[in-house]
Amino acid sequence: MTTNEWNCPWADETDCAVTVCDTEGTVLYQNARSTAVNGDVRGRSLIPCHNERSRAVIRRLLEEGGRNIYTIEKRGVRKLIYQTVWRREGRIGGLVEFSLEIPVELPHYVRG
């Protein structure tokens, strides 16, 4: 699938950054928030933008599936990073990353 074929209308106006790549690490889609944070990298590999530890995580996810979830703080803004594979007909098609700003004080509820 190429960047021209990728369409994600539900993510276009979300209030978080959404970035999608294929199994080679080529960025297929970015919503406006992702482009504002990372620049327009559609059609380019995201692999060179990461250190070796991160590259290993990306390789593992693309080979085995699963997810990678962590928080960061950048320029005083806390974010939750959620990376997971996306699938087409049951086969791994690539990764999707959601980057959500989180407040310093985040309520936590136990339900059920």
Side-chain angles (χ1 to χ4, degrees):
M1 197 168 226
T2 67
T3 57
N4 292 336
E5 298 170 309
W6 193 268
N7 188 9
C8 228
W10 60 268
D12 287 341
E13 297 185 44
T14 60
D15 196 25
C16 66
V18 180
T19 307
V20 179
C21 75
D22 64 13
T23 56
E24 302 299 315
T26 301
V27 177
L28 300 173
Y29 171 83
Q30 293 179 274
N31 69 353
R33 190 72 174 254
S34 173
T35 302
V37 171
N38 303 303
D40 186 349
V41 294
R42 290 173 292 174
R44 299 190 349 224
S45 175
L46 55 74
I47 303 299
C49 303
H50 293 85
N51 63 36
E52 190 50 46
R53 187 196 65 77
S54 297
R55 290 177 189 162
V57 170
I58 292 167
R59 280 193 299 274
R60 178 182 54 80
L61 291 172
L62 289 171
E63 291 170 8
E64 302 172 10
R67 60 186 186 241
N68 184 42
I69 306 162
Y70 57 95
T71 61
I72 63 170
E73 185 170 329
K74 196 173 185 179
R75 293 183 212 112
V77 178
R78 293 180 47 175
K79 296 181 179 184
L80 171 71
I81 308 297
Y82 189 103
Q83 302 162 326
T84 188
V85 296
W86 61 271
R87 299 176 186 273
R88 173 167 281 156
E89 297 176 3
R91 296 173 59 187
I92 294 172
L95 294 175
V96 59
E97 177 183 277
F98 299 92
S99 174
L100 302 89
E101 290 185 14
I102 55 176
V104 174
E105 297 298 320
L106 183 66
H108 176 78
Y109 304 100
V110 177
R111 296 190 174 153

